């Protein structure tokens, strides 16, 4: 009997503890959802003040909430949820990157594709190298833990990752189309490059460095880039072909929307399954789905998917910055550096300076090289635009935070002083860069380019989900638009390699349009394919037009 009583008491205690834990989780989730609502409301009220974007609003609310929780818990805790890399990389990042590809103005993006890839891939490697070399030089003079070569290179990859989420909110696609396409495209490719570099550094044996190992590292890097892109394009084409052939809209638009959402998420998870770059995969899947799949569904499904993807992306962005704001006051990490606050400040200042130097080391030289291949003066990146690109890419955020947690913590906790210094320094750099540079980017653009918004109408891409208010162009209308823009008949065929490099965007676009119309759209659908649904407004309008 005594044994049974003891067992009963033990089970009761465990059940009560589980019940208490569940209740605490429910309370935390309720508070977090309420804070998300507050971020949306406050962001709406501050909409007129463009220098305070939604990212900064969420950060400030997160900081304020962290202070309140810290006071209520008497200095023991400052956040409601424990940070998880899986939560970030598997659930929050995919909808943000996919929506970026789904809503992008493709013509403007691919017109600057070479420059974007140079900034995003080569520039990230240059920035990582500069930051790593600077960290090796300065960290030796500071009283912090000894970091090996792998740790230093990982720090370079962590702080080479720009915050594409915040940058997209600072710049406006309609007001500054060229800058938006460059900064946005570089941000996506930069995130993918940083994550691939970080994972490669983590898994690479740095004890045996030689020329063969360097070429193997470069080959693996290019392999991941190309295969990730191919996987994203293939997944997008499969979704377009399935929806076009099976034609779900004739029975239920819900199935169309569900299949598009699942195929988009499947592309990211397949990349993670095959150890590829999920960021690149889901981004190019979004571009392909907006070019083909989106035009194969019914009108109601187009409206639904456009707003669904945008809403999921918005909520994920707000969630990330809200948590980063709360986690900035995590007392556990700051306790390790409380005895030497000057060291933490010095490390943060050095890293911020290296971020600025590393970015300048590739933005201005690569812009100069890009301008050499541009014959038209309007297509060149002038010095004012280069300054804005340099400035807008100084922000660091969720990707840097996630990589730092992955490297220097275990399940969100750390017990080593050196690791705690790196975490607190990452938090400081992310908060400072996002709030200071984020607030000043908009005024900087207005000061340097006050008339930038006057050229947007000629550069807009009406063939995207972003432009639902515009009528879809048929083939003849699109051809007339191409003639008007001078990209179909007025451009002579290049008779040399130099001639091709001087006019790559228009000639490549011309050949792609021919290939797309002849081979791709007949198979995968796209612009011009209008689904016919019995009883729909399209059927009724067609029926009315056929009446005598």
């Amino acid at each position: 009997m005594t044994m049974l009583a003891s067992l009963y008491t033990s089970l009761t205690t465990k059940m009560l503890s589980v019940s208490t834990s569940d209740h605490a989780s429910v309370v935390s989730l309720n508070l977090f959802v309420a804070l998300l609502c507050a971020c949306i409301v406050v962001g709406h009220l501050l909409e007129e003040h463009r220098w305070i974007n939604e990212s900064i609003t969420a950060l400030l609310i997160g900081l304020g909430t962290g202070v309140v929780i810290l006071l209520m818990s008497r200095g023991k805790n400052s956040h409601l949820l424990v940070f998880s890399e899986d939560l970030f990389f598997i659930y929050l990042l995919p909808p943000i990157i996919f929506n970026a590809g789904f809503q992008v103005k493709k013509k403007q993006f691919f017109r600057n594709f070479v420059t974007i890839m140079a900034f995003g891939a080569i520039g990230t490697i240059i920035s990582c190298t500069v930051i790593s070399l600077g960290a090796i030089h300065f960290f030796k003079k500071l009283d912090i833990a000894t970091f090996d070569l792998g740790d230093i290179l990982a720090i370079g990859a962590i702080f080479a990752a720009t915050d594409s989420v915040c940058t997209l909110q600072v710049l406006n696609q309609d007001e500054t189309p060229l800058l938006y396409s460059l900064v946005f495209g570089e941000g996506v490719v930069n995130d993918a490059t940083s994550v691939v570099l970080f994972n490669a550094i983590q898994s690479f044996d740095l004890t045996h460095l030689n020329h063969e190992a360097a070429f193997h590292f470069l080959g693996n890097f290019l392999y991941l880039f190309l295969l990730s892109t191919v996987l994203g394009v293939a997944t997008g084409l499969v979704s377009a072909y399935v929806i076009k052939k099976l034609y779900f809209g004739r029975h239920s638009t819900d199935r169309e929307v569900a299949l598009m959402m699942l195929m988009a998420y499947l592309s990211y998870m397949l990349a993670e399954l095959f150890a590829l770059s999920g960021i690149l995969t889901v981004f190019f899947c979004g571009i392909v789905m907006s070019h083909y799949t989106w035009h194969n569904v019914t009108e109601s499904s187009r409206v639904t998917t456009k707003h669904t993807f945008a809403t999921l992306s918005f909520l994920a962005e707000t969630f990330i910055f809200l948590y980063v704001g709360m986690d900035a006051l995590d007392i556990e990490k700051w306790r390790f550096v409380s005895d030497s606050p000057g060291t933490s400040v010095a490390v943060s200042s050095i890293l911020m300076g290296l971020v600025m130097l590393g970015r300048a080391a590739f933005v201005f030289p690569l812009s100069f090289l890009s301008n050499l291949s541009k014959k038209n003066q309007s297509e060149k990146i002038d010095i004012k635009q280069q300054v804005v690109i340099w400035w807008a890419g100084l922000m660091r955020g969720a990707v840097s935070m996630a990589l730092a947690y992955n490297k220097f913590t275990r399940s969100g906790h750390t017990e080593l002083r050196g690791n705690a210094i790196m975490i607190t320094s990452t938090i400081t750099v992310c908060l400072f860069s996002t709030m200071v540079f984020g607030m000043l980017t908009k005024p900087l653009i207005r000061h340097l380019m006050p008339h930038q918004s006057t050229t947007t109408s000629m550069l807009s891409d009406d063939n995207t989900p972003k432009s639902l208010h515009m009528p879809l162009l048929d083939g003849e209308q699109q051809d007339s638009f191409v003639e008007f823009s001078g990209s179909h008949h007025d451009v002579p065929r290049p008779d040399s390699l130099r001639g091709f490099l001087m006019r790559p965007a228009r000639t490549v676009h011309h050949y792609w349009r021919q290939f797309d119309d002849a081979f791709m759209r007949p198979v995968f659908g796209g612009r011009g394919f209008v689904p016919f649904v019995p009883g729909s407004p399209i059927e009724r309008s067609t029926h009315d037009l056929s009446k005598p």
Side-chain angles (χ1 to χ4, degrees):
M1 292 294 292
T2 305
M3 184 176 180
L4 289 175
S6 176
L7 180 61
Y8 174 78
T9 303
S10 176
L11 290 174
T12 303
T13 303
K14 289 183 178 180
M15 291 177 65
L16 287 174
S17 63
V18 171
S19 177
T20 304
S21 177
D22 290 343
H23 179 71
S25 299
V26 171
V27 172
S28 298
L29 288 174
N30 272 277
L31 290 175
F32 210 94
V33 172
L35 290 173
L36 286 174
C37 295
C39 290
I40 295 173
V41 173
V42 174
H44 171 73
L45 296 176
L46 297 176
E47 182 68 23
E48 294 180 359
H49 304 282
R50 295 291 298 176
W51 53 275
I52 302 182
N53 56 58
E54 287 148 351
S55 301
I56 299 174
T57 301
L59 275 174
L60 293 176
I61 292 178
L63 282 170
T65 305
V67 171
V68 173
I69 297 176
L70 200 63
L71 294 175
M72 293 179 62
S73 63
R74 297 181 180 180
K76 296 180 180 179
N77 190 20
S78 67
H79 47 73
L80 300 172
L81 302 175
V82 178
F83 185 85
S84 170
E85 297 89 10
D86 292 338
L87 173 66
F88 174 76
F89 282 108
I90 296 179
Y91 300 108
L92 297 178
L93 191 60
I96 296 173
I97 302 300
F98 176 82
N99 185 65
F102 194 71
Q103 305 280 7
V104 68
K105 294 182 177 180
K106 297 182 288 296
K107 186 180 296 183
Q108 186 68 23
F109 176 81
F110 285 104
R111 181 175 294 166
N112 303 290
F113 186 74
V114 175
T115 306
I116 287 171
M117 292 302 296
F119 280 5
I122 300 174
T124 302
I125 295 174
I126 295 174
S127 179
C128 176
T129 303
V130 171
I131 295 172
S132 299
L133 291 176
I136 292 175
H137 177 74
F138 290 106
F139 283 9
K140 290 181 180 179
K141 302 179 180 180
L142 299 176
D143 182 23
I144 57 177
T146 303
F147 294 114
D148 57 28
L149 182 59
D151 295 331
I152 294 296
L153 292 177
I155 291 172
I158 289 169
F159 288 96
T162 62
D163 183 15
S164 58
V165 174
C166 189
T167 305
L168 293 180
Q169 292 182 346
V170 171
L171 293 177
N172 187 288
Q173 187 169 194
D174 296 319
E175 292 182 2
T176 55
L178 175 61
L179 282 176
Y180 185 94
S181 68
L182 290 176
V183 176
F184 154 73
E186 180 222 337
V188 175
V189 179
N190 167 275
D191 286 346
T193 307
S194 300
V195 174
V196 171
L197 270 177
F198 181 84
N199 292 332
I201 292 168
Q202 294 288 85
S203 59
F204 199 69
D205 185 11
L206 297 173
T207 58
H208 301 87
L209 290 177
N210 50 49
H211 295 291
E212 183 180 351
F215 280 112
H216 180 266
F217 182 85
L218 180 61
N220 186 52
F221 183 79
L222 295 175
Y223 165 81
L224 289 175
F225 250 83
L226 294 175
L227 213 60
S228 300
T229 302
V230 170
L231 179 60
V233 172
T235 308
L237 291 177
V238 168
S239 70
Y241 183 81
V242 169
I243 289 181
K244 180 176 180 290
K245 289 297 181 182
L246 298 184
Y247 193 15
F248 292 88
R250 67 171 178 255
H251 295 305
S252 171
T253 57
D254 297 337
R255 296 173 186 173
E256 289 182 322
V257 176
L259 188 61
M260 285 188 69
M261 295 179 65
L262 291 175
M263 289 294 289
Y265 190 66
L266 179 64
S267 68
Y268 187 89
M269 297 312 298
L270 284 175
E272 294 297 313
L273 178 64
F274 296 120
L276 301 175
S277 172
I279 297 176
L280 268 183
T281 298
V282 77
F283 174 70
F284 281 100
C285 179
I287 291 180
V288 173
M289 290 183 73
S290 71
H291 189 66
Y292 295 108
T293 313
W294 187 73
H295 295 281
N296 296 346
V297 299
T298 57
E299 186 67 23
S300 59
S301 295
R302 294 176 192 175
V303 176
T304 303
T305 53
K306 171 184 177 290
H307 292 292
T308 299
F309 291 138
T311 301
L312 291 175
S313 173
F314 170 73
L315 288 176
E317 292 172 9
T318 308
F319 185 99
I320 289 171
F321 284 102
L322 181 62
Y323 180 84
V324 169
M326 285 191 295
D327 194 66
L329 300 176
D330 187 9
I331 196 65
E332 175 188 297
K333 303 177 183 66
W334 290 102
R335 186 180 291 117
F336 285 96
V337 299
S338 60
D339 59 334
S340 55
T343 302
S344 181
V345 172
V347 172
S348 301
S349 302
I350 289 171
L351 289 172
M352 192 69 252
L354 291 174
V355 165
M356 300 173 72
L357 179 62
R359 186 154 183 85
F362 75 85
V363 168
F364 299 106
L366 292 182
S367 297
F368 173 77
L369 294 177
S370 175
N371 289 340
L372 292 179
S373 64
K374 304 292 178 60
K375 188 175 182 180
N376 191 342
Q377 189 66 30
S378 63
E379 296 178 353
K380 294 184 178 182
I381 309 172
D382 60 37
I383 187 62
K384 292 182 178 180
Q385 293 172 331
Q386 293 176 34
V387 171
V388 173
I389 293 171
W390 170 78
W391 182 276
L394 293 177
M395 289 172 281
R396 298 296 181 266
V399 175
S400 295
M401 287 282 293
L403 294 179
Y405 270 81
N406 180 276
K407 178 65 179 178
F408 297 109
T409 69
R410 295 293 178 269
S411 301
H413 302 281
T414 182
E415 297 180 355
L416 299 176
R417 179 174 177 272
N419 291 353
I421 288 177
M422 291 311 306
I423 292 295
T424 54
S425 299
T426 304
I427 293 172
T428 303
V429 170
C430 291
L431 287 177
F432 178 84
S433 61
T434 299
M435 295 205 304
V436 175
F437 297 136
M439 284 182 175
L440 296 179
T441 298
K442 195 70 177 183
L444 183 68
I445 294 174
R446 289 176 176 172
H447 175 72
L448 294 177
M449 290 166 291
H451 305 296
Q452 180 70 24
S453 60
T454 60
T455 61
T456 57
S457 59
M458 288 298 297
L459 297 174
S460 62
D461 182 3
D462 298 327
N463 190 26
T464 65
K466 196 95 173 178
S467 307
L468 274 174
H469 63 282
M470 297 292 292
L472 297 176
L473 301 178
D474 58 25
E476 295 179 358
Q477 289 173 315
Q478 185 69 15
D479 289 338
S480 64
F481 173 79
V482 174
E483 286 185 33
F484 175 74
S485 63
S487 62
H488 191 74
H489 297 293
D490 298 336
V491 180
R493 300 290 178 87
D495 53 1
S496 64
L497 178 61
R498 177 176 175 81
F500 180 79
L501 291 176
M502 287 300 182
R503 295 180 293 271
R506 291 178 177 175
T507 52
V508 169
H509 182 260
H510 167 76
Y511 291 125
W512 163 250
R513 281 291 310 279
Q514 286 187 330
F515 175 79
D516 193 29
D517 292 337
F519 299 102
M520 300 298 288
R521 283 188 174 133
V523 178
F524 300 104
R527 178 181 49 82
F529 177 81
V530 181
F532 180 80
V533 181
S536 67
I538 295 177
E539 182 203 21
R540 290 194 295 270
S541 62
T542 305
H543 179 71
D544 293 338
L545 289 174
S546 64
K547 290 181 179 180

